[in-house]
Amino acid sequence: MTPKIALVTGATQGLGLALVEGLAARLATEDTVYLTGRDAGRVAEAVEAMPAGGAEVRGEVLDVAEPGAPGRLAARLAERHGGVDVVIGNAVMRVGPDDDPRAIVGAYAEVNNFGTTRLLRAFAPLLRDRGRFLVVASSFGTLNHLAPALHDRFTGLSSLDELDKRVAAWRDAVEDGSARAGDWPGFVNIPSKIGQVAAVRTLAAQRRADDLARGILLAAVCPGMMNTPTSALWWDVRDAPSPAQAADTLLDLVFRPLDPARYGELVRNGAVLPWDRD
């Protein structure tokens, strides 16, 4: 059988690192897991610290905020391996309670939103039969967290390009302050996560029939609350699962048989979260 190829973005710490470790442990010795991040030193350190056994873990520098970077890495992996079997988009720019949304929203959208659509464009075409492409999002990524007047910004989209334009318009409104006079929530994480889920739903609408025929799962996933330093800035997470525990739940989707009901949806703990109602 052809060795399996997996890739995780934002993988030098936290959930991403745990996902790489979990994939390597569950895959075979002839398989390869790519651990990626934007800093070459941190990527090398993370690879060096991986436990022995299981699949080979290889490091690659990937900054999803750089427009051409996902495409270049996809081309390299296509040349090396002919395709990929598992892609998990986990790269994220974090935001704290003291951050001014106007100051950070440009970089925030560049990583979380445009980084997601770049990754989808670059790697979805490389998925082999029975492949898995998961985008790590949040339960905040459902329309019930957004004013009804704004729902049409993220529904019925014809392409990822159209979605990028809608996200750019939101970003610009936050930067110039006009979002505060409208219906947009002040917490930038909400529109950003909705944008990530909308990206998965938009691409899934185009690929559904072919992907399901080939056993491919494309989905957004919510890891739930985790005990991390960033989450601790917002909430009391002392009793929350560790990144390793959250990773196990997400990896179940990678290794379970395909459930068509999860295709193109936001999934938490194996259950589909409704897109547009409580």
Side-chain angles (χ1 to χ4, degrees), residues 100-106 167-180 184-188 191:
D100 180 353
R102 294 169 298 179
I104 60 93
V105 70
V167 170
W170 160 71
R171 174 204 61 199
D172 293 347
V174 174
E175 286 184 332
D176 67 23
S178 60
R180 300 181 66 181
W184 290 109
F187 187 30
V188 295

Side-chain angles (χ1 to χ4, degrees), residues 6 36 85 99 156 158 175 202 271:
T36 75
D85 300 279
D99 290 326
S158 63
E175 286 184 332
T202 298

Side-chain angles (χ1 to χ4, degrees), residues 106-123:
Y108 192 75
E110 201 66 48
V111 175
N112 299 6
N113 295 101
F114 304 132
T116 294
T117 53
R118 290 175 188 127
L119 198 72
L120 288 166
R121 290 188 188 95
F123 282 95

